Each structure stands twice: as C-alpha cells, then as structure tokens.
Amino acid sequence: MHTPAPAKTRRLYMMVLPLLLIFGCDSTTPYRPATSSNQAVSEASAQQAFQRGEYRRAGQVYTRLADGASSEQANEFNVKAAESFLAAGELQLTRERLSRISDPSEQLAAKATLVDARLDLADQSPRTAILKLARLQNIDEDIRPDVLEVQAKAQFMEGATATAVATLIDREVWLTNKDDVLENQKMIWDGLSTSPLEIELPDDRDPLIKGWLELGSIYWDQSRNPFELESQLIQWGINNPEHPASTGLLQELLGDYRRILEFPDRVALLLPLSDRLRNTGSAVRDGFFAGYFQHNTSHKRPNIKVYDVTQLGVIPAYDQARAEGAEFIVGPLTKRSVQDLLIVADGSVPVLALNYLSPDVSAPNGIFQYGLAPEDEAEQAANRVLADGLSQGIALVPNTAWGNRLINSFATALETQGGTLLAYQTYNPRERDYTVPITELLHLHESRQRMRNVAGLTGMKLEFEPRRRYDAQFIFVAADANRARLLRPQLKFHYANRLPVYATSSVYDDDEKANRELSGVMFPDTPWSLNTNGLARGIKQTIDRSWPPGSNRRGRLYAMGFDAYRLIPLITNSQEEQQTMIPGLTGNLELRNGRIFRHLTWAHFVGGIPELLPDPIPEEETLDTESATDLLNGFESSR
C-alpha cells in the first residue's frame, strides 16, 4: 500500500523541483511553461550565474525562460539571453536570440539594438554599429551610458579618436559613482593607446579634449620606451593640473608602469661572441645594453653578466649563470643552442631564448621563445592578403631551406583561413634570369603553346601577345632585397604588372635608389626599420656613428636585443599583470603560451621609399533605412 510522503517532505520536493528542471537539463531539453514562482526562481538563478561570470549558463536559463513565455516578456528574456551569450563570446547564439525578438516596446528595442551594436563590434564592423545607434531615440537614462560606451568604442575602431574622446566625456556626465568615472577615464586611455592611427593635435580643440589627445600622443611617442614614458606622464600631470585625468587615472597609470618595470636583481646574457657568429651576437648584446642604459635611474636596474657560449658551451654557460645567482637568463641565440639548452633547463630560472624550437618540440614551463622568425612574417603576409579581400594567388620562392620554410608557413596560414594557393614555383637565387619559373607560374608557356597550335593548323603567321593566367589575384614573393630587385621588373615584363605583390621584410634594405625597382611591393617590417617612432631614430643615429658603413643590416638584431631587455619584466610579472603586449622596436610584442608573437607594421614602396599602409578596412554589411526600421520594430530581418 502506498504511503503518502510527509507534508514537510512534499514541500521541500516542490521547492527543489524547479531547480532540478533548470540545471539538470541541457539547453536542448524542451521547456515546460513554468508558474510565476518557478519563473522567479529561474530568473534569479540566471542573474546569479551572470554575476559569477557563468555567461553561457545564464544565457541557457534565459533562453528556456524566453521559450516558455509570451509576447513582451519573451522579448525581455531574449534580450537578456543575447547579452549573456555575447558576454560568453557565443556570437551565433547571440544572433539567434536577437532574431526571435518580435514587435518589442521602444525601450526594449533600444536594449536589443545596443546588444546588436556590441555584436557588430565583435564582428569588427564599427560603422554598422554607429549607424544603428544613431537611429535610437528617447533613450532611457539607465542605458544611455552603455549606448555612449559602444558608440565611442566604434569611433576608436574607426580611427575617429577625437570624436570618441568627446563621446566618452559626454558619457561621464551621466555617471554618479566615483569608480564609474574612473573606469570611464580608463576607457578613454585604452582607446587612445589602441587607436589604429597616431594622434594629431589640432590647435582649435576644446581644452579638455586637447588634454586627452596630448596624453594619447605621449603614449604614441614614448610607448616603445616606458622608462621615458613615465617621465612624460609626470610632466603632463604638471602641465595639466586641472584636467580630470591628472588625479586618479594618472596615478594608476604611473603605478601600472612602475610595476611592469620591476626587474629581477641578476640577469645573465648568453650569446655567441667569438668566431663566425661574433658580429651577430655583438649586435644583440649592444641592443640589450642600449635598453639597459635607457632604463633611467628612478628604477632599480638589474646586474647583468654576459657569458660567451662559443667559448664556454651552452650548457656550461647556463650552469655557471645559475651557480652565480642569475634570476633570469636571456639567450642563447641559435636554434641548435636553444635545443641543447632543453637538456638542463628545468624552468626554475626563467629563460628568454632568442630563437624558436622546432614546431614538434614542446618547451617546458619557464622557457620563453622570442626571435625574428621569417615564418612569422610569411604568416602575417597571408593574413594581410585575406584582410585585403584577396583569396587565391600564386607564389615564387627560392629553392632553399629558407624558401621552403616560408612557402610552407604562407600556404598553411592562407589555406586554414579559406584562401587558396593555386601554384608556386621555385627559382635559383644564384641566377639572374628567372624567365622559366615566372613563365611557368603565370602559364605563359601554355599561352604560347596554344598560339603555336593555332599557327600550325592555319598555316598563318599570327600577331600574338601572351596572356597570363587569369585566376590569380596576388603573388607572394620570398626574396632578399637584391633578388627582389631582379624579380620585380621581370614579373612586370611577363605581364604580371597588375598583380599585387606581397613579400616579407627581407626585400627591404636602406637603399632608396635601388628600391625604386620595387615600386608597389607590400611587406611587413619592424618599427625599427620603418622609422615609425622617435626612439628608433635616435638609437639609429647613435649606432650609425659607432658602427662601420654597411653594417645597418644588423640593425634588426640590435632592435631585438633592445626588446629582449624590455621583455624581462613582462615575463617576470606575466602571472600577476594584465598587460600581455608591449610596443617594441621589432613590433608589437605579445606574450602568449610561452612564446613572443610580433605584430609588424605594413608598408609599400613608393619611389624607392617605404610608406606605411593603413590597416585593412573590414567588409561591413550595409544598413539601409528599411533594414534599420525592421531592426527597431521587429528584429526579424536585421540579421
């Protein structure tokens, strides 16, 4: 005979059941309409999940609530679900929830538009976000700061720096909490320091905006040398005592920079300084000490001891450095010596190796890799090709190990992102005439064969101009500067003058007259080589006086040594600091998974002189008046 459960047990069961239904089912489980009390419990759990940072979980709960509700309440839950999924980086789920919003109220439509604009920013489409936000009217005060935030971020992404600053200044008017005001000022600083364009200082700006632009300009001028950046920030505070940023924000910035400039007491530098690699090792060493001497005396500088691995051997040099108290080791330099170091390096002393291990070799914890790998540049060339809207092309590389490394890296990066390498040809770098590989690559030999076949059939002498292949949208060329100057005119001669040419930094050396042969060739290079900041220019002038003529080819190694010194505090403090990227002389340097990635600057040759190229503008969906109306009224055709 069935015995009814005690009343207390039944009440407990009824309280727990809604939670079991929510958290015990996956997102695909059909939802049964809930009572108002159950709905309140579910909504509270979703809010708590969001506050804990469990954004996907919150989105799933809001989704089930939306699917079990009706009309405006469903719209409200769909907006909250979209907000949650967007915070979790689930862009497709965000779009799906927005597409379910139908005939919302004006204010709820504004909230949905705000989420949709944030989605546009995630899609790198700032112009679309700005257009959508511009159509909002009668915005509630509770979301106005959010609207202005998204608008400003979109303006920063577009390079409209002064306009973005003005937008965030307006946003501050709507903030009442002191912490929120400070966060708003940090937002301005973040936008200034990550803006895609360097900051110009017009004379007729509002003093408040101009003060902000001056602060951002200091960052752009001095960011590659944070020791100088600190003193410039202090001077800006002296010059602008009444500016809102001169109190809390400025002190936070100075504190952040001081923390990321904390060096260990003893640093060992392991380099080859004799025999055939002495010039290479010496250039890195000189750059390293240039960084050391830029480190002004307001910060404690480390004690540095240099070990010649050519004389001592890599492993004995490492053991000696540890025995003598080294707390951080920089080097060695060659790929082979880095490989040898793994035999003894256990991660107890951090090591910044100045080369990369083979892709199939894993580095233990505490071993960080940094170098000037040409494969990285080939990968960035592939990324640039795709960002420029091109997807299929051809390549010309030397028949050397270096050429094989570059074509493998380029092809892999291109094809994993949906591009196609139609064909490539190799050339002998010892030769000067590249007619055969060029004509085969461009299919000119096939065009000529067709002409011969037609002439044979007709018996007539034909006037003929060969046609190159029509399916290639670009050509990637791997070559040093001398070979590139021979290849470029021959490509033009063989009817490839209209194909965009992408290369790596190896095509560039500082010879303006000779570089005129390379007109139009695009390539990535370091801020050091392209003279994109005053620090690089100043150091270059110094080494030009110190090094013999013709030794400028070692400049990139010098810049690498400088950046190696700068990377020490980034690596030392990487566990506790949020900043994982610094602007260096060899590129913007990002620490990721024990490896330093270099983000380079793009340029092209104009009259023998490299001119900087702007960042590619992503293709953006257009937003006409009709679709904007649909967006605000129904969200059914906006995505």
Side-chain angles (χ1 to χ4, degrees):
M1 179 177 178
H2 175 69
T3 302
K8 182 177 181 181
T9 302
R10 289 198 302 273
R11 286 196 300 271
L12 178 62
Y13 177 78
M14 295 306 295
M15 291 173 63
V16 172
L17 178 58
L19 296 177
L20 293 175
L21 289 173
I22 295 167
F23 293 105
C25 304
D26 61 28
S27 60
T28 61
T29 303
Y31 179 77
R32 297 179 177 86
T35 65
S36 59
S37 60
N38 291 345
Q39 179 177 296
V41 172
S42 299
E43 189 171 1
S45 69
Q47 292 171 349
Q48 291 169 4
F50 191 94
Q51 292 168 357
R52 292 194 301 266
E54 298 172 3
Y55 301 119
R56 195 176 196 280
R57 189 59 173 163
Q60 290 171 336
V61 178
Y62 281 129
T63 293
R64 285 192 283 270
L65 286 168
D67 292 346
S70 59
S71 188
E72 188 73 357
Q73 193 173 41
N75 286 337
E76 183 178 349
F77 287 136
N78 275 319
V79 170
K80 291 181 177 180
E83 290 173 336
S84 302
F85 285 133
L86 183 59
E90 299 279 1
L91 304 189
Q92 190 55 43
L93 289 174
T94 306
R95 294 185 183 95
E96 198 274 335
R97 282 296 108 188
L98 290 177
S99 71
R100 290 176 176 268
I101 298 173
S102 177
D103 194 24
S105 66
E106 185 178 32
Q107 294 307 318
L108 197 56
K111 291 181 179 180
T113 302
L114 179 61
V115 177
D116 202 40
R118 291 188 190 274
L119 185 59
D120 289 324
L121 295 190
D123 287 337
Q124 299 296 306
S125 299
R127 173 50 42 184
T128 308
I130 290 172
L131 288 172
K132 289 175 182 176
L133 294 176
R135 291 177 170 87
L136 291 179
Q137 296 179 350
N138 303 320
I139 304 171
D140 276 357
E141 292 185 10
D142 63 332
I143 69 166
R144 185 176 293 275
D146 295 329
V147 171
L148 293 173
E149 174 191 345
V150 176
Q151 183 179 339
K153 287 180 177 178
Q155 290 162 344
F156 275 127
M157 288 176 67
E158 285 206 315
T161 305
T163 304
V165 170
T167 299
L168 288 177
I169 290 174
D170 290 343
R171 181 178 184 268
E172 193 165 310
V173 174
W174 298 91
L175 304 175
T176 57
N177 185 285
K178 182 179 179 181
D179 291 338
D180 290 340
V181 170
L182 181 58
E183 287 302 314
N184 190 69
Q185 293 178 356
K186 289 180 181 178
M187 204 181 299
I188 297 177
W189 171 255
D190 289 341
L192 290 169
S193 58
T194 58
S195 176
L197 301 176
E198 294 197 31
I199 297 166
E200 298 181 359
L201 296 175
D203 294 330
D204 57 347
R205 280 287 175 191
D206 174 272
L208 188 58
I209 297 176
K210 186 175 181 181
W212 277 113
L213 296 181
E214 287 175 350
L215 192 60
S217 182
I218 289 171
Y219 174 86
W220 276 98
D221 289 342
Q222 304 296 337
S223 59
R224 299 185 194 281
N225 181 8
F227 312 114
E228 183 67 21
L229 177 58
E230 181 190 9
S231 63
Q232 292 291 329
L233 289 175
I234 293 172
Q235 187 60 49
W236 180 90
I238 295 172
N239 295 340
N240 297 271
E242 303 300 324
H243 195 278
S246 65
T247 52
L249 177 67
L250 184 61
Q251 295 309 310
E252 283 213 10
L253 293 177
L254 290 171
D256 289 342
Y257 281 111
R258 284 164 183 156
R259 281 193 296 275
I260 67 171
L261 296 178
E262 292 178 357
F263 281 76
D265 290 333
R266 295 178 180 273
V267 174
L269 185 58
L270 278 58
L271 292 171
L273 297 172
S274 53
D275 294 341
R276 64 183 181 86
L277 290 176
R278 64 182 181 277
N279 289 336
T280 300
S282 296
V284 175
R285 178 200 60 196
D286 293 348
F288 189 85
F289 276 98
Y292 174 85
F293 288 117
Q294 286 282 335
H295 188 162
N296 60 40
T297 54
S298 64
H299 302 278
K300 183 181 178 181
R301 294 193 291 200
N303 295 309
I304 299 173
K305 185 168 183 179
V306 182
Y307 299 82
D308 184 355
V309 299
T310 308
Q311 292 186 357
L312 296 173
V314 172
I315 294 176
Y318 173 82
D319 288 339
Q320 184 178 339
R322 287 189 59 182
E324 293 177 351
E327 299 171 80
F328 195 99
I329 294 174
V330 177
L333 184 59
T334 66
K335 187 178 290 287
R336 175 62 183 273
S337 59
V338 174
Q339 184 80 36
D340 291 343
L341 187 66
L342 294 186
I343 299 172
V344 292
D346 59 5
S348 58
V349 175
V351 174
L352 176 60
L354 301 180
N355 213 315
Y356 297 104
L357 295 165
S358 300
D360 57 338
V361 177
S362 298
N365 290 335
I367 308 297
F368 302 86
Q369 302 170 67
Y370 163 57
L372 306 181
E375 295 93 330
D376 291 346
E377 297 186 17
E379 180 179 340
Q380 292 189 49
N383 295 338
R384 178 75 193 205
V385 163
L386 294 167
D388 286 342
L390 309 176
S391 60
Q392 54 186 34
I394 53 181
L396 195 59
V397 301
N399 57 0
T400 62
W402 179 78
N404 288 336
R405 288 160 54 194
L406 262 65
I407 191 61
N408 287 337
S409 178
F410 180 84
T412 299
L414 184 71
E415 292 176 354
T416 54
Q417 299 178 78
T420 303
L421 183 64
L422 299 169
Y424 77 93
Q425 285 287 333
T426 61
Y427 65 89
N428 186 344
R430 294 187 180 89
E431 297 177 352
R432 299 179 63 85
D433 183 355
Y434 308 120
T435 298
V436 172
I438 289 176
T439 54
E440 290 185 359
L441 183 63
L442 297 175
H443 288 179
L444 293 175
H445 61 298
E446 295 180 7
S447 180
R448 291 192 176 96
Q449 184 59 49
R450 287 193 297 271
M451 183 273 294
R452 286 192 289 268
N453 292 340
V454 172
L457 290 171
T458 62
M460 300 173 60
K461 185 177 181 181
L462 304 175
E463 292 186 8
F464 171 75
E465 181 176 300
R467 293 186 178 181
R468 66 167 175 84
R469 63 190 306 157
Y470 64 87
D471 53 350
Q473 298 172 323
F474 67 87
I475 180 169
F476 171 68
V477 173
D480 62 20
N482 291 328
R483 302 307 176 278
R485 292 170 190 143
L486 294 171
L487 282 165
R488 178 59 168 158
Q490 292 182 48
L491 285 168
K492 289 182 178 180
F493 178 79
H494 290 294
Y495 310 102
N497 55 307
R498 293 188 179 180
L499 272 182
V501 178
Y502 295 82
T504 66
S505 66
S506 58
V507 300
Y508 176 51
D509 65 19
D510 197 7
D511 188 337
E512 179 181 338
K513 184 177 180 181
N515 287 337
R516 290 174 184 168
E517 296 287 0
L518 298 175
S519 178
V521 173
M522 294 172 280
F523 63 99
D525 210 336
T526 64
W528 168 269
S529 299
L530 297 175
N531 286 315
T532 55
N533 64 80
L535 176 62
R537 288 190 290 271
I539 296 177
K540 270 186 164 183
Q541 292 172 359
T542 300
I543 67 170
D544 285 344
R545 292 191 296 267
S546 305
W547 289 359
S551 60
N552 190 47
R553 66 178 66 93
R554 300 203 303 270
R556 292 185 181 94
L557 293 169
Y558 188 98
M560 179 184 174
F562 185 95
D563 282 351
Y565 183 82
R566 285 279 290 104
L567 284 167
I568 293 173
L570 175 69
I571 293 171
T572 302
N573 303 313
S574 62
Q575 299 300 319
E576 55 194 62
E577 293 296 331
Q578 295 138 354
Q579 182 175 349
T580 57
M581 182 183 290
I582 60 172
L585 296 183
T586 58
N588 287 328
L589 308 176
E590 181 184 7
L591 173 61
R592 193 167 71 238
N593 299 325
R595 182 182 173 118
I596 302 297
F597 290 84
R598 296 186 304 130
H599 301 275
L600 300 177
T601 304
W602 275 86
H604 65 152
F605 286 105
V606 178
I609 300 173
E611 290 190 0
L612 299 186
L613 286 168
D615 291 334
I617 299 175
E619 294 184 16
E620 299 180 355
E621 55 190 289
T622 58
L623 185 74
D624 56 26
T625 304
E626 182 178 353
S627 63
T629 302
D630 290 338
L631 181 72
L632 293 175
N633 291 338
F635 271 86
E636 295 179 346
S637 61
S638 64
R639 284 277 170 188

